[in-house]
Each structure stands twice: as C-alpha cells, then as structure tokens.
Amino acid sequence: MPLLGWLLGMLAAAMLEKFFGTGLASAVGLPKIPALFGIDIMLKRPLLVPNAFLYTLLIYALPILIVGIAGARAANRIAGWLLRLPMAVPAAVHLGLLYISLHYWADVSDYRALVLKLTLIAIMLTLSLNVINGYMGEFSCSHPGFMALGAYCSSVVTVGLFVDAGMFGIALLPESLGPFVFPIALLAGGALAAAGALLVAVPSFRTRGDYLAIISLAFLFIVKSLIENFEFVKGPRGMSGQPDWAGLPAVFSWTVLCVWTINNYVRSTMGKALNAVRDNELAANAMTVDTRHTKMVGFLFSAFWAGVAGGLFAHVLRYVNPGTFGIQNLAEVLAMVYFGGLNSVYGSIVGAVSISLLGEMLRPLEIFKWIIIPLLLILVMIFRPTGLIAFKDLDAFSLFRPKRKPGGEE
C-alpha cells in the first residue's frame, strides 16, 4: 500500500472520530473521547480496558485498514500519476493530507492540540541535535541553551513590538502586523542561537576528544544563569504574554521546513563531509575536507533550528522561565535522539514522537513513568545500540512512489 493510501485511511479515521467519536465513546461505555488512543483511560480505570480497546479498534484500526486496503489500487494509480509531475506537487498533496488528518485529530480537544504542537517542536529539536550527535559524531549538551536563546529572543521581539504591557511599555506596531513579523522573530531567535553556538564551537573544535561535551554543558549553565539574573526579561519569574500566533498551521509549517532543510543538508556534499569527519577525521582531512569548517557549519546550523524551535515553544505555551531549559530538558532530547536512531531523519521523527506521546500516555502512572521510560531506553541500547532506525536516509521519491507487488503489478 502506498503512503497515499495510509494517509487517506488516517484522514478517514480522524474525520470519523471528529464527527462520530462522542457518540461511539458513549455507545461503548466510555465517559468521553479518549485523549491519546485510550491508553490514559486504560491506566486510570483498568475496568474500562475492553471499552477503550474496542473504541480504538473501531475508530482507528478498522477505518485505516479498510480505506487503505480497499483504495490501494486507486491510491497506487494516483501516486504514479503524481510522480510524473514536479516533485513539489506530490509533496504538497501528501503534506496536505497529513495536515488535514492532524487538524481533525487535534480539533477534538485543546489538550490534544497542545500535545501535537509540542511533539512537532520535539521533532525539530531531536533532528537538529542529531546533526551534531549523529551525523557529526560529537556529543553536545547545549541544545536547551540554544532553545532558551531562541525562546527569549523571539519573545522579546513579539512582546516588545506588539504587546501593550508593563514589561516594555506601549506596543510599537499594530497587532495586525504581528503574524507577518512572527517568522522574522523566530529567525532572529535562530540567529541568536547560532551566534551563541559560535562561542562554543570556536574553542571546542580547536581540540579533539570530549571537550565539546564539557564546554557545551558549561554554556548551558551560563545561559541559564544569565537569564535568571536579567531583570530585563523578569529573571527566574519567567516571561509571559507572548501573542497567540503559534497555531497548528504555523508549527506544522516550520516543522516541515526544518525536516526538509536538514534532510537536504545531510544528503548534500556538506552532509557527506560531516559523515567523513565523524568516521575518520584524519582521513577526511587528508582527502582535502576542511574538517574544522565542516564541523562549525554543522554546529551552527543545528543551533539555528534549536533556536527556532525554542521560539515556537515560547509562543505555544505563551510563558517561559529559565527552569524550563535545564538538565531535564537536555535528558529528554537526548533520549529522543538515541531512542529513535543516530544518523537518521526517520529515527529522529520516530524518537521524538515515541517519547513525547509515551510520556503523555504514561502520565497517570506518575512516578512509575520515570521507571518505565528509562527501562525502555536501556532495552533499546542493549539490543539496538544505535537506536530503532539508525543510518537511514529520507528519500522523498521512494516515499511517494506506488508500491508494486512481487509480480510487478501496482
């Protein structure tokens, strides 16, 4: 079955739940539509396990399978026809179907919408960190620091220009211009994060070994301490009042742009040079690769996207404080990278989605959640040391093309 068939199945399931989910939940004995595939209800009320399982089967599993299998032949023909057009057309069709499916799924509750937006931001963070820890082969601990720089920079721009509050005085520009300036604020956050990365990269890449890990960890603590002592941004009390411009369309668009940009980068000559430096720096240098320049470009590129993700994070929650960008945040992003798989765009997406959703689904278990997730990570590290999906390229052509049967029939 081609990807188009799966997406049509997802859209059918999401629309079915949007319009008939409440009635079906009541019919199978559930008090409301399950927030996250019924797992939270199963953990809170074990007696409702059969009901939640039946709901998930009827709303998700059966519609996706029925639409996907019944429409496989038509989906193959449409996918083959789309591939004859410029690659932007099949990409737009697939992304459009994915967005509409996610929109209907998230429209059921505000909690779902928040979880979905935070998961998309986690994909951006995981993918950007994978550029350093996976493709470059270094170990960086500074991503929460880059994220904090992006979050505070974009917040200062949007609050200072468009919010009439006591923090920065009266608004300088009309709010109607805000959605157009918001992307510039995010880019400014990314640029500041890249400038911060330069301070880490210059001393780190003059040496070899574990120095990057030590210097990047020091950078994280310095950034956190600076923000805590800047009364300009309310110090440890945190900064609030960010305009509500980070809706699902904005977060989805930036995530797609991040995945597309990073995927192109790691498949380019620069990305291949990054892999060569990781595998053997001396050999890469002997083959005329400027190893220091290659590592610095990769590091700054990664920090830029972490800063953009931080800006989106601040405007999704509409509040940030220095405590958000600490060791716990670093541990979560590292877990997503190593769980999903090193050196892989697929792996980063799988890691970010798995850990984010698993953390929310297991929330009813409270403290036991922090026993189960680390145990899963340990098992993955034992049986698949490089992660679930490591060293796998994301090729748009193979993703969108029809699926052929062994006999050659589509």
Side-chain angles (χ1 to χ4, degrees):
M1 188 191 309
L3 178 61
L4 194 65
W6 289 111
L7 290 174
L8 288 171
M10 284 174 55
L11 178 59
M15 292 182 70
L16 190 66
E17 184 173 46
K18 166 69 179 171
F19 296 110
F20 304 104
T22 304
L24 182 61
S26 176
V28 299
L30 294 177
K32 60 180 182 178
I33 295 176
L36 296 172
F37 312 108
I39 303 295
D40 52 336
I41 288 183
M42 294 180 192
L43 294 175
K44 286 177 184 172
R45 301 171 65 179
L47 291 178
L48 291 180
V49 168
N51 311 59
F53 182 78
L54 180 61
Y55 177 88
T56 305
L57 181 71
L58 293 176
I59 280 288
Y60 295 113
L62 288 181
I64 291 175
L65 284 175
I66 290 172
V67 172
I69 293 172
R73 186 181 290 273
N76 269 317
R77 288 177 182 164
I78 296 173
W81 179 76
L82 287 173
L83 276 187
R84 299 191 192 103
L85 302 173
M87 188 53 71
V89 177
V93 171
H94 284 79
L95 288 173
L97 283 173
L98 176 61
Y99 174 76
I100 296 171
S101 304
L102 293 176
H103 169 77
Y104 277 117
W105 183 80
D107 203 34
V108 169
S109 69
D110 292 340
Y111 173 70
R112 271 194 189 181
L114 178 62
V115 169
L116 179 57
K117 285 189 275 189
L118 293 179
T119 302
L120 291 172
I121 293 170
I123 290 174
M124 296 175 67
L125 284 171
T126 308
L127 196 50
S128 62
L129 184 58
N130 210 344
V131 171
I132 303 172
N133 288 26
Y135 290 92
M136 193 191 297
E138 299 280 355
F139 191 87
S140 171
C141 301
S142 51
H143 247 53
F146 300 146
M147 196 178 167
L149 290 176
Y152 273 89
C153 178
S154 59
S155 298
V156 167
V157 172
T158 54
V159 173
L161 291 180
F162 298 101
V163 178
D164 194 4
M167 183 177 289
F168 299 118
I170 61 171
L172 299 176
L173 293 174
E175 193 174 353
S176 56
L177 293 177
F180 302 101
V181 179
F182 182 49
I184 300 174
L186 294 177
L187 293 176
L192 182 63
L198 196 61
L199 300 177
V200 179
V202 168
S204 300
F205 296 143
R206 288 180 180 276
T207 59
R208 293 175 186 166
D210 300 327
Y211 293 100
L212 176 62
I214 298 167
I215 295 173
S216 60
L217 189 60
F219 174 81
L220 167 60
F221 287 123
I222 290 170
V223 169
K224 190 167 175 285
S225 178
L226 280 176
I227 295 173
E228 284 174 343
N229 288 282
F230 273 161
E231 190 56 31
F232 171 63
V233 289
K234 301 293 183 187
R237 299 190 303 280
M239 189 174 172
S240 61
Q242 288 86 344
D244 187 16
W245 293 327
L248 184 58
V251 178
F252 182 81
S253 302
W254 280 99
T255 305
V256 169
L257 184 62
C258 174
V259 172
W260 179 74
T261 309
I262 292 181
N263 188 53
N264 282 347
Y265 172 73
V266 298
R267 289 163 63 91
S268 69
T269 306
M270 287 293 289
K272 302 300 180 190
L274 210 59
N275 280 349
V277 172
R278 177 201 62 204
D279 292 339
N280 192 320
E281 190 168 344
L282 289 175
N285 198 34
M287 295 299 289
T288 71
V289 173
D290 187 342
T291 56
R292 186 161 171 253
H293 177 262
T294 302
K295 290 198 289 187
M296 288 191 71
V297 170
F299 195 71
L300 268 60
F301 180 69
S302 167
F304 171 82
W305 280 111
V308 173
L312 286 170
F313 178 79
H315 287 80
V316 165
L317 295 184
R318 305 184 68 190
Y319 170 76
V320 283
N321 69 68
T324 311
F325 309 104
I327 293 295
Q328 183 175 345
N329 182 257
L330 172 65
E332 288 175 359
V333 182
L334 285 172
M336 292 173 189
V337 171
Y338 287 94
F339 184 80
L342 295 171
N343 219 91
S344 170
V345 174
Y346 281 117
S348 296
I349 295 172
V350 169
V353 173
S354 303
I355 298 294
S356 296
L357 292 184
L358 199 60
E360 288 300 323
M361 289 174 181
L362 298 182
R363 190 178 288 276
L365 296 180
E366 298 178 352
I367 190 68
F368 295 104
K369 179 177 84 170
W370 300 113
I371 297 174
I372 295 173
I373 293 178
L375 281 176
L376 285 175
L377 285 171
I378 291 170
L379 289 174
V380 169
M381 290 300 104
I382 291 173
F383 295 105
R384 294 186 70 90
T386 55
L388 291 177
I389 308 174
F391 298 91
K392 186 173 176 60
D393 282 342
L394 176 62
D395 182 4
F397 182 80
S398 65
L399 203 61
F400 300 151
R401 72 184 176 190
K403 301 301 178 191
R404 296 179 182 276
K405 292 180 179 178
E409 182 188 353
E410 289 182 1

